[in-house]
Amino acid sequence: MLALRGYGSGSDAGSGSGSGSESDGEKESGGSSEVAVAVPLHLLPRPSSTSSVAAALAVAVCAAPPVLPQDNRSEPRVVNPALKELQHNPTYDELYAPIVGPENPFQSQHSKASKNMLSGFVEKAHISEFQFENQRRTFTSYGHALDPTADDDADPSSIVGISSTIAPPEEKKTVFESSKQRPLDKRKRKKNNNPEDIEGFLGPWGGYVDEKRIMKPSGEEAEALEEIVAKRQKRGKIQDEKPLEEKSILHISDSVDYQGRTFLCPPQDVGVNLKSDTPPDRCFLPKSHIHTWKGHTKGISTVKWFPRSAHLLISGSMDCRVKIWEVYKERRCIRTYYGHRQAVRDVNFNNAGKLFISAGYDRYIKLWDTETGDCISHFTSRKIPYCAKFHPDDDKQHLIVAGTSDKKIICWDTRNGEIVQEYDRHLGAVNSITFVDENRRFVTTSDDKSLRVWEWDTPVDMKYIADPTMHSMPFVTSSPNGKWLACQSMDNKVVVFSALNRFKMNRKKTFTGHMVAGYACGLDYSPDMSYLISGDADGKCYVWDWKTTKLYKKWKAHDGVCISALWHPHEPSKVVTAGWDGLIKYWD
């Protein structure tokens, strides 16, 4: 098939081919129109020469084959009934076609039914919020309301709650329509709105005239309540656990040496002046593991140095025990203290080291004599103490403060066992207590992701620090010079606050690289404040440079969580770490 091109002017093929060489402008100016005619090849006249064949092929045009539109498909597209949105516009047959796939022969008629909730299919219905609240209040106040199951064709006055034959039309009104007073509205209130009457002024707090307020049960009622409580305790519903009988075991043969000195006296022949008040001139990074203390059967919660000399180490563990260890010479376990039913959370010495307190998950704080192992007294607020310590001033060593799980900081007097002050402003469990500003103030952190600063013995916080970017900070330690607070943050960072007047966060000092989310891993400064050391959830120990915040060193210290890391205050390169594997390790 060939398509021959000609012109409407009536010229023959030869003239058409000649005129085809003219420009388009000449064609349009000549007024002729182009016509394409498809002629079969066998109807064309046989050319006499090669030139005539070339002339005949010159006017041939290849015709494009017919192409169907892309959307015209012979097979219908399957629509998934679980889809919420379609990417194409389906036809009616496609939209209402049966679901593709074999039918489950084991399904019952109930399971085949369409459901949008576990109990069946619920159709959405709309009711005005005002009408719903109006009927609810009417039913609460008068005991009747419109029947919600009635159809539109039914009697609109059909009600539920009271019989329509008994109730007169006046009582069928709603709270919005009715003008009668409800029974409680008839009660008269005590009124005294005179502001000049200071003692008798009631304002909006005046109660009802016939109201009886019993703030405390009378003698007979109190006895009856005591009997009920006693019966419940016998049944085991309320367990008023008494503190466990306290005891201690001395693990060394002699409690005193040949000069009559107890283990509380620091040794003098260890090559280090343990009574010095000046820190080492320069500290160095520890390089090797030199000793391991074993004795706890479960993970360790906290370790602390003996005050000033640091020749002893005290540890509290999840095996409910507290142990004291030698740091020098034979490095023995000196004494074990038993007195908690549940894991020990925190331990702290007083300034002299002769007493220490232990806080446990059994809700008791116990005061111990370090040398004899006797439990002097115990304190409880019926809540779990997360941290507990003595007041650092020498004239206030009889006061201990504890942060508890009921959002309070409680101060006890150890002389009489009474609570002398409560600081109740936090919105979550209190995690840490740190004294600053020469012990005139203290800083607390909590699970409410805030930091509060308190004046001592003033139960209102003087400063509240909270930011949307802050996380809870379960461990806080003060720098040796008292100017900075290093806080272990739950977003795997160590953030630093100023411990002076403003308590502003130092944005330039943020230490990262470790994983502590979910754990209260301990922090400590080197004595010369050149390094900051921290534990890690993976059992590693991290050391950063304090000035540049650069991570200098990390090493695998424990198999479990490295919960505590302490730098010896008199040694330039000795560090103690404690972990949940029950071990205490010494590094140099």
Side-chain angles (χ1 to χ4, degrees):
M1 183 75 71
L2 285 179
L4 301 182
R5 182 177 298 167
Y7 294 94
S9 59
S11 60
D12 56 0
S15 62
S17 62
S19 62
S21 61
E22 298 176 358
S23 63
D24 294 339
E26 292 173 352
K27 292 177 185 176
E28 293 176 1
S29 62
S32 61
S33 59
E34 185 178 1
V35 178
V37 181
V39 181
L41 290 175
H42 66 277
L43 295 179
L44 288 175
R46 181 170 296 178
S48 59
S49 63
T50 308
S51 60
S52 60
V53 173
L57 292 177
V59 296
V61 178
C62 293
V67 180
L68 293 175
Q70 294 183 357
D71 294 337
N72 188 7
R73 297 183 180 180
S74 59
E75 296 182 0
R77 289 168 291 188
V78 178
V79 178
N80 187 358
L83 290 178
K84 301 294 185 182
E85 181 179 351
L86 296 177
Q87 300 295 332
H88 67 283
N89 190 12
T91 62
Y92 178 86
D93 295 334
E94 292 174 350
L95 194 60
Y96 289 95
I99 300 175
V100 177
E103 185 179 5
N104 189 350
F106 302 104
Q107 275 189 332
S108 62
Q109 294 295 329
H110 179 73
S111 59
K112 287 180 183 179
S114 60
K115 297 180 181 179
N116 57 2
M117 59 183 300
L118 290 176
S119 58
F121 187 83
V122 177
E123 293 183 358
K124 292 185 178 180
H126 175 72
I127 184 172
S128 171
E129 185 178 355
F130 167 74
Q131 291 295 342
F132 181 86
E133 190 66 17
N134 187 21
Q135 295 299 327
R136 187 190 67 81
R137 293 186 179 184
T138 303
F139 190 82
T140 305
S141 302
Y142 299 145
H144 70 271
L146 289 177
D147 187 2
T149 62
D151 297 332
D152 296 337
D153 299 336
D155 183 11
S157 62
S158 60
I159 58 175
V160 292
I162 59 176
S163 176
S164 58
T165 58
I166 300 174
E170 292 292 331
E171 294 187 5
K172 294 182 181 179
K173 293 183 178 180
T174 63
V175 175
F176 183 72
E177 298 169 343
S178 178
S179 60
K180 68 174 184 178
Q181 286 186 332
R182 289 173 288 181
L184 291 178
D185 294 339
K186 297 179 181 178
R187 300 176 69 183
K188 293 183 179 180
R189 286 182 173 271
K190 298 176 184 179
K191 294 183 179 180
N192 184 1
N193 297 328
N194 184 15
E196 296 179 357
D197 187 3
I198 298 176
E199 295 183 355
F201 177 75
L202 296 177
W205 304 281
Y208 295 103
V209 175
D210 56 346
E211 184 181 5
K212 293 182 180 180
R213 295 185 180 180
I214 301 175
M215 303 301 294
K216 193 175 182 180
S218 60
E220 296 179 358
E221 292 180 351
E223 292 178 0
L225 289 174
E226 288 179 0
E227 291 181 2
I228 293 173
V229 171
K231 290 180 181 178
R232 289 183 178 177
Q233 287 180 348
K234 289 180 181 178
R235 294 175 190 169
K237 291 185 179 179
I238 300 177
Q239 296 180 355
D240 188 11
E241 291 187 356
K242 295 181 180 180
L244 192 67
E245 182 182 357
E246 300 87 3
K247 63 178 182 178
S248 67
I249 298 176
L250 186 67
H251 299 288
I252 56 179
S253 57
D254 296 325
S255 59
V256 295
D257 60 0
Y258 67 97
Q259 290 182 340
R261 299 177 300 181
T262 65
F263 61 86
L264 298 184
C265 297
Q268 300 178 0
D269 53 348
V270 293
V272 180
N273 184 10
L274 299 179
K275 295 183 179 180
S276 173
D277 293 331
T278 58
D281 296 333
R282 186 181 176 187
C283 291
F284 306 94
L285 298 178
K287 294 182 179 180
S288 61
H289 174 218
I290 59 176
H291 187 69
T292 300
W293 287 281
K294 299 179 182 179
H296 286 293
T297 58
K298 292 185 179 179
I300 295 172
S301 304
T302 181
V303 291
K304 298 288 172 61
W305 294 117
F306 191 82
R308 292 190 63 185
S309 62
H311 72 286
L312 297 175
L313 191 69
I314 190 169
S315 63
S317 172
M318 299 175 194
D319 59 2
C320 315
R321 300 169 188 171
V322 178
K323 291 179 179 286
I324 288 186
W325 315 81
E326 276 183 332
V327 178
Y328 294 96
K329 295 185 177 179
E330 298 180 28
R331 294 172 177 153
R332 301 167 293 178
C333 177
I334 296 179
R335 189 181 281 276
T336 302
Y337 305 83
Y338 302 86
H340 288 279
R341 292 182 183 272
Q342 297 184 31
V344 178
R345 167 75 184 195
D346 196 14
V347 290
N348 268 299
F349 284 106
N350 68 345
N351 288 355
K354 295 181 179 180
L355 303 175
F356 74 89
I357 53 176
S358 62
Y361 283 98
D362 57 355
R363 297 178 173 83
Y364 279 96
I365 298 174
K366 300 199 174 185
L367 178 65
W368 302 83
D369 188 304
T370 310
E371 183 179 345
T372 63
D374 298 332
C375 182
I376 300 173
S377 60
H378 55 264
F379 316 93
T380 181
S381 65
R382 302 289 181 183
K383 302 296 177 183
I384 299 174
Y386 285 156
C387 56
K389 60 173 56 181
F390 288 89
H391 193 285
D393 286 346
D394 291 332
D395 58 343
K396 296 185 178 66
Q397 288 290 285
H398 59 281
L399 298 176
I400 60 174
V401 287
T404 60
S405 60
D406 64 340
K407 316 168 192 177
K408 295 181 181 179
I409 300 108
I410 301 176
C411 179
W412 280 278
D413 191 331
T414 58
R415 296 173 297 187
N416 51 23
E418 295 181 356
I419 296 176
V420 295
Q421 188 61 272
E422 280 190 3
Y423 307 84
D424 186 9
R425 300 279 287 181
H426 274 293
L427 305 176
V430 180
N431 294 321
S432 69
I433 301 173
T434 310
F435 285 87
V436 296
D437 195 14
E438 297 180 353
N439 307 326
R440 291 191 292 265
R441 300 173 182 170
F442 64 94
V443 177
T444 59
T445 59
S446 166
D447 284 344
D448 61 3
K449 303 179 183 180
S450 69
L451 183 145
R452 295 177 188 259
V453 185
W454 313 76
E455 295 278 357
W456 175 252
D457 214 15
T458 304
V460 179
D461 49 333
M462 59 162 288
K463 194 170 186 66
Y464 169 71
I465 301 173
D467 188 81
T469 61
M470 284 176 58
H471 291 66
S472 58
M473 298 174 289
F475 193 92
V476 179
T477 185
S478 178
S479 62
N481 58 9
K483 293 182 179 180
W484 305 100
L485 294 174
C487 309
Q488 189 77 267
S489 180
M490 280 294 189
D491 57 344
N492 300 321
K493 295 179 182 177
V494 178
V495 295
V496 177
F497 288 85
S498 170
L500 302 178
N501 294 327
R502 296 186 63 186
F503 295 94
K504 186 179 179 182
M505 181 188 291
N506 191 340
R507 302 284 180 180
K508 295 182 180 180
K509 285 195 181 298
T510 302
F511 303 87
T512 58
H514 60 325
M515 290 285 293
V516 291
Y519 302 93
C521 296
L523 291 167
D524 197 19
Y525 290 88
S526 62
D528 63 345
M529 268 197 70
S530 59
Y531 301 109
L532 184 70
I533 190 170
S534 170
D536 179 61
D538 294 331
K540 297 178 182 177
C541 186
Y542 286 74
V543 182
W544 292 276
D545 180 53
W546 170 251
K547 291 183 179 180
T548 63
T549 69
K550 178 184 176 182
L551 179 62
Y552 266 167
K553 188 176 183 180
K554 65 177 179 179
W555 70 91
K556 182 73 172 177
H558 295 272
D559 293 335
V561 179
C562 182
I563 199 66
S564 187
L566 296 175
W567 205 298
H568 198 287
H570 300 290
E571 300 277 1
S573 62
K574 290 188 178 179
V575 171
V576 161
T577 60
W580 281 12
D581 54 359
L583 303 178
I584 305 172
K585 295 186 179 181
Y586 204 22
W587 309 83
D588 187 6

